[in-house]
Amino acid sequence: MAGPGLQGERFAVIVVGSGISGLFVALEARHLGRVLVLTKGSIDDCNTRWAQGGIAAAVGPLDSPEQHLADTIAAGAGLVDEEAARILCYEAPARIRDLVRYGVSFDSLGGEVALGREAAHSRARVLHAGGDRTGAEIETALSEAAKDPAITILDHTLVTRVITREGEAAGVEAVALQTGEREVYLADAVVLGTGGAGQLFSHTTNPDVATGDGVALAFDAGAEIADIEFYQFHPTALRVPGVPTFLISEAVRGEGAVLRNRAGEAFMKRYHPLADLAPRDVVARAIVREMRSDGSDHVLLDCTGLKSVDLAARFPAIFAYCMSAGIDIRVDPIPVAPAAHYLMGGVRTDTWGRTTVPRLYACGECACTGVHGANRLASNSLMETVVFGKRVVEHLAAGGGGAAAATPDRAALPMPATAAPSHAELQAMMWECAGIERDGAGLERGLQTIAGWPARGEGAVTREAFERQQMTTVAALMLTAALRRTESRGGHYRSDYPETDDAHWKRRQVFVRER
C-alpha cells in the first residue's frame, strides 16, 4: 500500500505501456478495481502492432506443449529458465482462448486454425491473424475491449519515475506531454509493460517508442536487470536506400523463401543443417558474413519459387510495403539485411511477474522471465506477454505482495552520469560497438563514449530528452554486460571469444543500481 504523505489520484493497478502486455493486464485486472494505463505515445504506438510472424502455441493435433518446451530450450542456448518456459508452453493454448474471447480472429484453413512453421520450431505451431498483421490485429481487438469504464487510458503521458515508499512501489510520477504538467498517480501495484529497446540501434524493426524506458525505470527504482547483453537481431529487414527499415517476417522463409548471396547461391546450407530456418542469431551472422564477402549492404530473399502461395494474400502488409518500394515479391527478390529486433533480457521477474521491488511487476519485452535464455524462439514473444500478464493479475487477485528473491551474486552498477547528445549518436555508437558482432575493444569504446557525453539534465520533461537518458542507461547496462561475458552465446557474439564457454558462463548476469 502507498505510504502516508503521498497525494495523487488512486487506482488499484497502474499499467505503464499500451501494447499487448499492458492492455491484456488492464483487461484482466479491471475486476480488481480502477485500472490506469499510461502511454507516452498514442495507444497504437507499440511493438505489438509491428509483430508480423504470429504467436506460438501447441494447439495442432501433431504438437504438444512438451515439444514446444523442447524447442524453446534448444533455441535458448543453455540459459532458459525451464520452470518459466514450461509455464509458457503449457499455458499457451488457454491464452489463445483468452485472446479469442477478447475478439481476436485467428486465420483458418478448411475450418481449422491455420498453423505456420518458423525457424527452430519442430512443428507448425504459429497462429496468425490477418496474414502478416498478427500484432496489429491483436492490438486492435484489445484496444476495442479496453473501452471499459473501469479502465482509464492516458496517452501522451510520460512516466518519469516509479515512486517507492518503504521499499515498495507506490505509484508513478508522470508528465502530460501536451501540457507539461507533472502528475502523481498512486496504486496498490505498478506493472511495467513498456516493450523493448530497438531504438538503441541505427537499424531496427521497432517503432520510435521502443527506447527501453521500462528497464531504465525499474533499474532506477532498485529492481534487478538480467540477461541484458542478449539482443536479437532479426535476419531479414528490408534494406532499400531511402526506404525506412521494415521487417520481412520469418514466416516468409517458413513458406519456403530462400536467402541468396550476390552470386545467387542459397548460402544458408553452409552454415546450419536447418538452412534458412536456422535460429535467428545463426542466420543474422551468416548474412553479415555474406555481405562482408560480397562487399554489399544486403543479401536477397527469394520468394519467386513459391508458386503455390498467394503472396499478396498470405503476406498483405509485406507485399504492399515492398510494392511501394518498387519490389514485386512475386518476381523480384527482396534486398534484406539484419536489424535490431528483440531484447531477450530486461527487468528480472519471477514466474508471477514480480520484480525484486515489492508491488512492482513487469511483463512483455521489458521483462526478463528467463523464458528466452540467450536467444528467443520465434513467435514466443507475443505469447509470453499474455501468459505472464495473466499470472501478474492472478497474483494480484490472490493478494499480491512480496517480491522476486534477490540474486545472491548480482553486481551493483551506478546510473550513468551522462546522457546521449542525440538519438542518432547513441544509435550509431551502439550499432558499431554492440551490434551483431562484438569485441572487447568496441565494447570498451562504447562505454568510453558514454562517459564523454554531456552531464544528464535535471528534471528533463520533454519526451526526447527523457528518452535519451533512458536509452543511455540501457546502453551502458548492455555494453557492460557484453564486455564482461567473454564468450559467444545466442544473441551475444564476441569475435574475440567466438566459442561458448559453459564452464564459466552457463549462468545469467544480474545487475542492480548502486546506492
Side-chain angles (χ1 to χ4, degrees):
M1 303 294 287
L6 280 175
Q7 294 186 350
E9 192 173 0
R10 183 163 196 87
F11 297 84
V13 180
I14 291 173
V15 180
V16 187
S18 63
I20 184 173
S21 57
L23 292 179
F24 190 82
V25 166
L27 286 164
E28 292 288 311
R30 57 189 161 168
H31 69 281
L32 301 177
R34 297 175 66 210
V35 178
L36 175 64
V37 178
L38 301 171
T39 180
K40 68 180 178 182
S42 74
I43 192 172
D44 296 329
D45 292 337
C46 60
N47 274 0
T48 303
R49 181 160 291 277
W50 299 93
Q52 297 175 354
I55 183 167
V59 296
L62 302 179
D63 200 2
S64 69
E66 198 64 27
Q67 188 59 55
H68 188 184
L69 175 63
D71 292 345
T72 298
I73 291 172
L79 291 189
V80 168
D81 182 309
E82 187 169 340
E83 180 188 5
R86 183 173 295 276
I87 287 168
L88 174 84
C89 298
Y90 276 82
E91 295 187 6
R95 301 293 79 78
I96 292 294
R97 293 193 289 272
D98 285 343
L99 291 174
V100 171
R101 176 166 53 86
Y102 284 129
V104 179
S105 179
F106 290 103
D107 297 344
S108 61
L109 183 65
E112 299 291 334
V113 64
L115 298 172
R117 185 179 172 194
E118 294 183 5
H121 286 274
S122 62
R123 300 286 188 274
R125 67 168 63 95
V126 180
L127 295 85
H128 299 89
D132 60 359
R133 291 178 48 81
T134 305
E137 293 289 330
I138 295 175
E139 175 75 12
T140 298
L142 296 185
S143 297
E144 189 64 29
K147 294 175 181 176
D148 185 288
I151 300 173
T152 300
I153 299 174
L154 297 181
D155 55 10
H156 304 291
T157 303
L158 180 69
V159 174
T160 56
R161 186 169 75 92
V162 174
I163 299 169
T164 57
R165 288 293 182 271
E166 299 179 358
E168 296 189 347
V172 299
E173 290 181 356
V175 174
L177 292 172
Q178 294 173 330
T179 65
E181 293 183 8
R182 293 177 179 269
E183 302 286 353
V184 170
Y185 300 102
L186 305 177
D188 295 333
V190 176
V191 183
L192 299 174
T194 55
Q199 288 297 318
L200 289 176
F201 298 94
S202 53
H203 301 287
T204 181
T205 62
N206 289 188
D208 290 345
V209 293
T211 53
D213 296 1
V215 175
L217 286 168
F219 183 66
D220 186 40
E224 291 183 355
I225 308 300
D227 297 348
I228 198 70
E229 66 269 42
F230 296 114
Y231 202 93
Q232 188 171 80
F233 294 85
H234 199 288
T236 54
L238 183 69
R239 182 68 67 87
V240 175
V243 176
T245 300
F246 186 81
L247 178 67
I248 307 298
S249 171
E250 198 163 70
V252 177
R253 282 176 284 135
E255 292 288 352
V258 176
L259 287 162
R260 300 186 186 278
N261 58 21
R262 181 179 287 181
E265 176 199 6
F267 59 83
M268 275 308 304
K269 60 182 178 291
R270 287 195 275 109
Y271 291 94
H272 196 279
L274 291 175
D276 294 276
L277 292 180
R280 286 178 175 175
D281 61 309
V282 175
V283 181
R285 287 195 298 273
I287 290 174
V288 167
R289 290 166 190 171
E290 294 295 317
M291 293 192 303
R292 187 181 297 138
S293 176
D294 287 346
S296 176
D297 68 348
H298 67 271
V299 296
L300 298 171
L301 182 61
D302 184 5
C303 310
T304 61
L306 305 184
K307 304 303 183 185
S308 63
V309 180
D310 184 344
L311 294 171
R314 174 66 181 85
F315 303 108
I318 293 171
F319 183 83
Y321 197 90
C322 287
M323 285 294 281
S324 72
I327 300 165
D328 184 341
I329 65 175
R330 295 169 298 188
V331 296
D332 303 319
I334 309 170
V336 296
H341 185 59
Y342 189 88
L343 179 65
M344 266 83 73
V347 187
R348 192 179 78 79
T349 70
D350 64 10
T351 57
W352 296 104
R354 297 185 299 181
T355 74
T356 49
V357 174
R359 300 193 180 277
L360 178 63
Y361 296 75
C363 65
E365 191 171 349
C366 73
C368 181
T369 61
V371 158
H372 306 307
N375 190 39
R376 176 175 66 90
L377 183 67
S379 291
N380 266 357
S381 54
L382 291 182
M383 182 51 71
E384 182 193 27
T385 65
V386 291
V387 165
F388 290 96
K390 181 86 167 187
R391 292 176 69 83
V392 165
V393 178
E394 288 175 345
H395 189 268
L396 291 173
T407 304
D409 57 349
R410 65 189 189 181
L413 297 178
M415 288 286 285
T418 63
S422 69
H423 282 47
E425 286 183 62
L426 184 143
Q427 290 164 340
M429 180 275 290
M430 287 296 286
W431 186 258
E432 176 191 351
C433 299
I436 298 166
E437 292 190 352
R438 305 162 171 176
D439 61 39
L443 294 165
E444 288 177 345
R445 186 167 64 251
L447 288 169
Q448 290 166 2
T449 299
I450 289 176
W453 281 339
R456 280 177 175 252
E458 289 297 323
V461 294
T462 69
R463 173 173 161 177
E464 183 180 7
F466 186 74
E467 284 179 340
R468 289 200 303 270
Q469 292 193 2
Q470 304 299 74
M471 291 165 70
T472 302
T473 294
V474 181
L477 287 166
M478 189 176 294
L479 288 162
T480 300
L483 181 61
R484 293 186 181 193
R485 183 173 285 276
T486 52
E487 67 156 359
S488 292
R489 184 185 296 271
H492 168 71
Y493 181 80
R494 289 277 298 261
S495 59
D496 50 349
Y497 292 96
E499 303 300 323
T500 299
D501 182 2
D502 279 346
H504 298 96
W505 283 109
K506 196 174 182 179
R507 58 183 175 86
R508 304 169 72 185
Q509 291 192 89
V510 178
F511 300 110
V512 68
R513 183 181 178 183
E514 188 176 83
R515 296 293 182 179

